[in-house]
Amino acid sequence: MCGRYSLDVSPDALPDKFGEQHLKVDQIERTEHANPRYNIGPAQYAPVYYFTVSGAGDSMDNIKRHIRYMKWGLIPFWTKDLKSFKAYSTFNAKLEAINEGSRLWSTVRSKHRCVVPIQGYYEWLQGATKKPYFIKRKDNKLMYLAGMYSITKFKKEKHHAGEDDDDGKEFEFIDSYTIVTGPAPKNMKWLHNRMPVVLEPGSKEFNSWLNPRIQEWTKELSDCLKPFEKDSLTFYPVNPDVGKISSEGEYLTEPYEVKSETSNQVDILSMLSPKKKADRTTDESNAGKDSPVKTGVKTEKSDLANNDFDDSSKSQVKTEESLNGKKIPATHSPSKFSYVSMKSKDSATPASSPSRKRSIPPDGSPKRRKKSTTKDADKHPKLDFFKNVKVEKAQKPKAEK
């Protein structure tokens, strides 16, 4: 499909651009609508190229070549209310529908064929994150897409009662166009299964499609709408800003480095699952340091907020917000670690042992205790700590002479 393209060329410069590919221009019309842009979208004005017959005979001198600025999104001739018409429904025309002779396209396919000059068009690669690509010619010359146009007459609306039109006319004509799309060639299906029909200037298909003397839909015209198999196009990723119709600038058509999406990903499942004992020791030794989990969440949430294209970004942000409301176990949050006593076994007192006071007899010798068994000694090696300690009898100080 084709819903956005680039043509930042002024009306004065267009004839020279056409001349690079040996195409002549006899007349440029409706330039008051000209708005050269790198980001043209439906319902905006852009130039189309078409031929008319100015006289009798088969001579090429009787053919007039036009560039005319028209509105993108073909308006059928039976449209009554211009305000209610949605240009987004007719900016592309499927060649299958054209060949079948649908009512919408049968009125223009025979007599109102044109080509749409572009510098390149944008296409989005579908996935978790939509990535825009820019497709253009390798030689940077203009591309020409098969199109059809319509000139529709509308009654002018007066802004105030009794107000006269500046030109004195009761009706106005609005020119509009559509771009023909078809199946993509093999080398482009990885990007999208459809693409605009590209016509090569000077080719048989190009000349037949624009021939104003062909007034009936024939197999010759149908054969013009084939996938573009030539290896003259190039493509590369571009800035996601092109997704916003208000974005504008040459940078939209320049190659854009796609950053890795895995560098800032947060492993949410690892945050919620219990850790192994071996990991807990490492976590406890890192107690008091900045939490890598917190840092990752902040970075990911910032990336998701700038992610304009990711349909799944909403659910990811929702997941991040729900995590903030949950209480994460202490084993997973270094800032909530409970510190464990690191005293050695030699100095620690068993929690089950009550504190006891030792009484020393008047004679100064420590009170003998029952000899502990080997089993008890293994359990409590500190019980015989005072066993061999000598306590000398305190002497009274001598009186001074």
Side-chain angles (χ1 to χ4, degrees):
M1 305 301 284
C2 181
R4 208 70 64 79
Y5 66 87
S6 170
L7 184 66
D8 186 55
V9 182
S10 67
D12 295 336
L14 270 178
D16 292 336
K17 283 288 186 180
F18 277 57
E20 292 176 1
Q21 293 159 291
H22 310 289
L23 298 177
K24 296 180 179 181
V25 177
D26 298 315
Q27 188 172 348
I28 302 179
E29 305 161 339
R30 304 299 293 270
T31 56
E32 69 273 14
H33 295 300
N35 185 24
R37 291 196 67 199
Y38 288 100
N39 194 10
I40 298 172
Q44 297 183 346
Y45 280 85
V48 302
Y49 184 60
Y50 67 97
F51 296 170
T52 59
V53 178
S54 59
D58 295 335
S59 173
M60 291 300 294
D61 295 335
N62 296 329
I63 292 180
K64 197 171 186 179
R65 305 162 184 85
H66 304 259
I67 290 179
R68 190 179 183 95
Y69 282 82
M70 300 185 180
K71 190 174 186 177
W72 189 11
L74 189 139
I75 305 172
F77 73 91
W78 62 77
T79 303
K80 300 293 183 183
D81 185 7
L82 185 59
K83 288 184 177 180
S84 62
F85 175 76
K86 297 179 180 178
Y88 288 90
S89 62
T90 57
F91 66 88
N92 281 165
K94 290 186 177 181
L95 71 85
E96 295 88 346
I98 297 171
N99 284 326
E100 290 170 2
S102 69
R103 180 171 179 260
L104 176 60
W105 308 124
S106 61
T107 58
V108 292
R109 67 177 184 174
S110 299
K111 300 179 181 180
H112 294 91
R113 300 180 302 274
C114 64
V115 294
V116 182
I118 68 172
Q119 291 169 317
Y121 74 97
Y122 302 95
E123 187 59 80
W124 277 259
L125 178 65
Q126 302 297 318
T129 301
K130 296 179 182 178
K131 298 184 179 72
Y133 279 75
F134 189 62
I135 299 92
K136 66 172 187 176
R137 289 177 62 112
K138 292 180 180 179
D139 58 9
N140 292 320
K141 294 181 180 179
L142 295 182
M143 289 173 61
Y144 298 88
L145 310 182
M148 298 179 293
Y149 69 94
S150 173
I151 301 176
T152 311
K153 184 173 71 171
F154 290 95
K155 187 174 182 178
K156 283 189 176 181
E157 292 185 1
K158 296 181 179 181
H159 299 286
H160 300 91
E163 180 181 287
D164 294 330
D165 296 317
D166 294 337
D167 54 8
K169 295 180 180 179
E170 186 181 358
F171 294 94
E172 64 177 335
F173 292 89
I174 295 182
D175 311 315
S176 58
Y177 69 97
T178 186
I179 293 174
V180 180
T181 62
K186 293 180 180 179
N187 64 331
M188 294 294 291
K189 283 186 176 179
W190 65 272
L191 180 58
H192 200 285
N193 59 358
R194 299 185 69 84
M195 69 173 286
V197 175
V198 180
L199 298 177
E200 184 70 20
S203 65
K204 177 184 176 182
E205 293 78 12
F206 187 92
N207 295 331
S208 296
W209 185 255
L210 289 179
N211 189 345
R213 295 191 175 95
I214 301 178
Q215 298 285 305
E216 297 292 335
W217 186 254
T218 62
K219 186 178 183 301
E220 181 183 0
L221 292 176
S222 180
D223 289 343
C224 296
L225 306 179
K226 293 181 179 179
F228 190 76
E229 301 286 355
K230 294 184 178 180
D231 187 27
S232 59
L233 303 181
T234 184
F235 41 83
Y236 48 81
V238 291
N239 198 301
D241 287 354
V242 73
K244 298 178 181 178
I245 194 65
S246 58
S247 299
E248 181 56 33
E250 187 176 3
Y251 80 100
L252 297 174
T253 64
E254 296 173 349
Y256 179 77
E257 182 180 355
V258 180
K259 297 180 181 179
S260 174
E261 297 178 358
T262 58
S263 59
N264 292 327
Q265 293 294 326
V266 178
D267 189 357
I268 299 176
L269 293 178
S270 65
M271 294 170 60
L272 298 177
S273 61
K275 290 189 177 182
K276 297 180 181 179
K277 290 183 178 180
D279 295 333
R280 291 180 183 175
T281 305
T282 305
D283 289 342
E284 291 170 358
S285 64
N286 291 331
K289 296 182 180 180
D290 294 337
S291 170
V293 175
K294 284 188 177 182
T295 303
V297 170
K298 287 182 179 179
T299 305
E300 180 66 6
K301 199 167 183 180
S302 175
D303 289 349
L304 292 173
N306 295 328
N307 187 359
D308 292 333
F309 289 96
D310 185 0
D311 292 334
S312 62
S313 63
K314 293 181 180 179
S315 60
Q316 291 181 18
V317 171
K318 185 176 181 181
T319 304
E320 296 291 346
E321 291 174 349
S322 63
L323 284 177
N324 293 337
K326 287 185 179 181
K327 186 176 181 181
I328 300 176
T331 53
H332 297 279
S333 177
S335 60
K336 293 185 179 180
F337 282 152
S338 56
Y339 288 87
V340 180
S341 175
M342 302 301 290
K343 292 182 180 180
S344 64
K345 290 184 179 181
D346 294 337
S347 59
T349 303
S352 59
S353 302
S355 58
R356 299 174 182 177
K357 294 183 180 180
R358 290 189 175 277
S359 57
I360 300 177
D363 58 358
S365 60
K367 186 178 180 180
R368 292 281 182 177
R369 301 182 61 184
K370 292 182 180 181
K371 188 175 181 180
S372 61
T373 62
T374 306
K375 188 175 182 180
D376 293 335
D378 291 340
K379 284 185 178 181
H380 306 289
K382 315 286 186 310
L383 295 179
D384 296 331
F385 179 79
F386 294 101
K387 185 175 179 181
N388 299 320
V389 176
K390 265 187 181 182
V391 179
E392 297 182 358
K393 189 176 181 180
Q395 297 180 357
K396 294 182 179 181
K398 294 182 179 180
E400 294 182 1
K401 295 182 179 180

